[in-house]
Amino acid sequence: MDYSRLDLKRDKAIIIPRALYATTPDTFEADIQLLENLYSPEDIVKYLKETKENISNKVCLSVAKRYNVAPFQRFVLSI
C-alpha cells in the first residue's frame, strides 16, 4: 500500500486500525492521542469494531475503557 496516497477522511477504516495494530501498553497513550488529533472517539471505536485487521483484544478493551463504551473484542473463542 502506498501510504502517501491515503486520505484522512476517505481511508479512516484503514488508518485507525493500522495505527493501533502494533500498540503496546507502554505506547497506547501516545498512539491513541495521535489518533484523537485526527478522529473522534466515535470513529475510533466504530472502525475498530468493523475492521478485519488483527487487532488484539487488549487494544479493543483499552479503547472501550478510555471512551467508556461497552467492552468489545475482535476475537472470541466459541464453543
Side-chain angles (χ1 to χ4, degrees):
M1 175 176 288
D2 182 357
Y3 294 107
S4 67
R5 301 185 80 186
L6 289 175
D7 178 89
L8 287 175
K9 285 188 178 186
R10 181 191 66 218
D11 298 316
K12 292 184 228 186
I14 297 167
I15 296 168
I16 292 171
R18 291 199 182 176
L20 292 175
Y21 174 77
T23 197
T24 68
D26 293 332
T27 64
F28 177 76
E29 187 66 28
D31 295 338
I32 199 75
Q33 284 178 1
L34 288 172
L35 279 179
E36 290 170 343
N37 289 331
L38 302 170
Y39 303 108
S40 70
E42 294 80 14
D43 277 344
I44 294 169
V45 170
K46 174 184 176 186
Y47 290 106
L48 280 182
K49 284 182 175 181
E50 293 177 358
T51 190
K52 303 257 189 267
E53 294 287 337
N54 191 13
I55 305 298
S56 79
N57 286 339
K58 287 182 181 181
V59 170
C60 294
L61 293 172
S62 293
V63 168
K65 182 178 178 181
R66 182 176 187 88
Y67 300 129
N68 198 30
V69 298
F72 63 96
Q73 298 181 341
R74 291 287 306 125
F75 303 98
V76 180
L77 295 175
S78 49
I79 300 174

